[in-house]
């Protein structure tokens, strides 16, 4: 179904688009000049921890990781938040503070954004990053015998799902939660 939706998009022919829809990258890349390419991504998640500040930081780290995975540095971000009407403003503000502080610490400050009232809670960032066009890391750039370096713990989605289903206490995944906030 997703493939059909993506195939409905018109295909741009601009040669400055270095990465678009065709390679299953987490971000798109647009070459500005011979020394600079912009890396563009958006990532939105649902809460995976109860603490609003921590959730905000995790949402920001999740979005920024798309830029970093392609070898880029942060430039700026825009936030997106969907909140049900019964969530107190103080909680929403704390989520945004967590996202904002982490984005600012990673040189991609939140400069604006959009909020909606929705049935479910979502938080994410549209992030702009930059890199030299020849230093991009892409999915098709992998070569045999290259080292794979994991910078975050794997399996955090499984652990947070277990917490949501009361199969494990959140205190037992403290290190995973800390890892999800790393950039």
């Amino acid at each position: 179904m997703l493939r059909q939706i993506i195939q409905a998009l018109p295909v741009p022919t601009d040669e400055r688009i270095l990465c678009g829809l065709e390679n299953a990258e987490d971000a798109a890349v647009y070459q500005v000049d011979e020394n600079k390419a912009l890396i563009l991504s958006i990532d939105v998640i649902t809460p995976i921890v109860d603490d609003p500040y921590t959730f905000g930081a995790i949402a920001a780290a999740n979005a920024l990781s798309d830029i970093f995975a392609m070898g880029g540095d942060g430039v700026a971000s825009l936030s997106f938040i969907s909140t049900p009407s019964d969530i107190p403003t103080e909680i929403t503000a704390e989520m945004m503070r967590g996202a904002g502080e982490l984005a600012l610490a990673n040189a991609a400050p939140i400069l604006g954004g959009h909020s909606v009232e929705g049935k479910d809670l979502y938080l994410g960032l549209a992030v702009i990053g930059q890199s030299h066009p020849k230093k991009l890391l892409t999915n098709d750039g992998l070569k045999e015998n290259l080292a794979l370096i994991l910078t975050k713990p794997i399996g955090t989605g499984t652990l947070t799902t277990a917490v949501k289903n009361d199969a494990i206490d959140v205190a037992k995944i403290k290190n995973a939660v800390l890892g999800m906030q790393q950039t």
Side-chain angles (χ1 to χ4, degrees):
M1 182 166 105
L2 181 59
R3 181 180 296 269
Q4 184 180 3
I5 293 168
I6 290 173
Q7 287 176 340
L9 291 168
V11 179
T13 57
D14 189 330
E15 64 188 31
R16 294 172 294 184
I17 299 170
L18 302 181
C19 294
L21 298 170
E22 70 285 341
N23 203 28
E25 301 289 350
D26 284 337
V29 181
Y30 184 87
Q31 187 167 349
V32 176
D33 60 36
E34 66 182 43
N35 294 311
K36 185 185 285 185
L38 295 179
I39 306 170
L40 311 154
S41 185
I42 183 169
D43 224 318
V44 179
I45 63 171
T46 58
I48 52 178
V49 295
D50 290 333
D51 179 64
Y53 181 91
T54 302
F55 169 55
I58 291 170
N62 186 57
L64 287 160
S65 68
D66 293 346
I67 303 301
F68 301 149
M70 293 192 81
D73 297 312
V75 173
S77 301
L78 297 173
S79 65
F80 171 78
I81 188 164
S82 171
T83 55
S85 60
D86 61 345
I87 293 187
T89 300
E90 299 79 22
I91 290 177
T92 304
E94 197 62 7
M95 288 187 286
M96 293 304 298
R97 188 171 73 84
E101 287 183 2
L102 191 127
L104 181 62
N106 284 277
I110 297 174
L111 303 179
H114 189 71
S115 62
V116 297
E117 187 176 299
K119 182 181 77 159
D120 297 311
L121 176 62
Y122 294 98
L123 176 60
L125 300 178
V127 184
I128 300 169
Q130 65 183 354
S131 175
H132 191 285
K134 300 215 183 289
K135 294 183 179 180
L136 290 169
L137 303 173
T138 59
N139 291 340
D140 60 358
L142 297 176
K143 306 227 182 315
E144 190 174 334
N145 296 321
L146 283 179
L148 175 63
I149 300 170
L150 299 177
T151 60
K152 292 184 178 191
I154 59 173
T156 55
T158 302
L159 291 174
T160 57
T161 299
V163 170
K164 285 182 183 180
N165 292 316
D166 295 321
I168 189 172
D169 184 74
V170 71
K172 294 191 180 218
I173 67 164
K174 183 179 176 183
N175 287 337
V177 171
L178 291 172
M180 286 185 279
Q181 296 173 71
Q182 291 177 325
T183 55

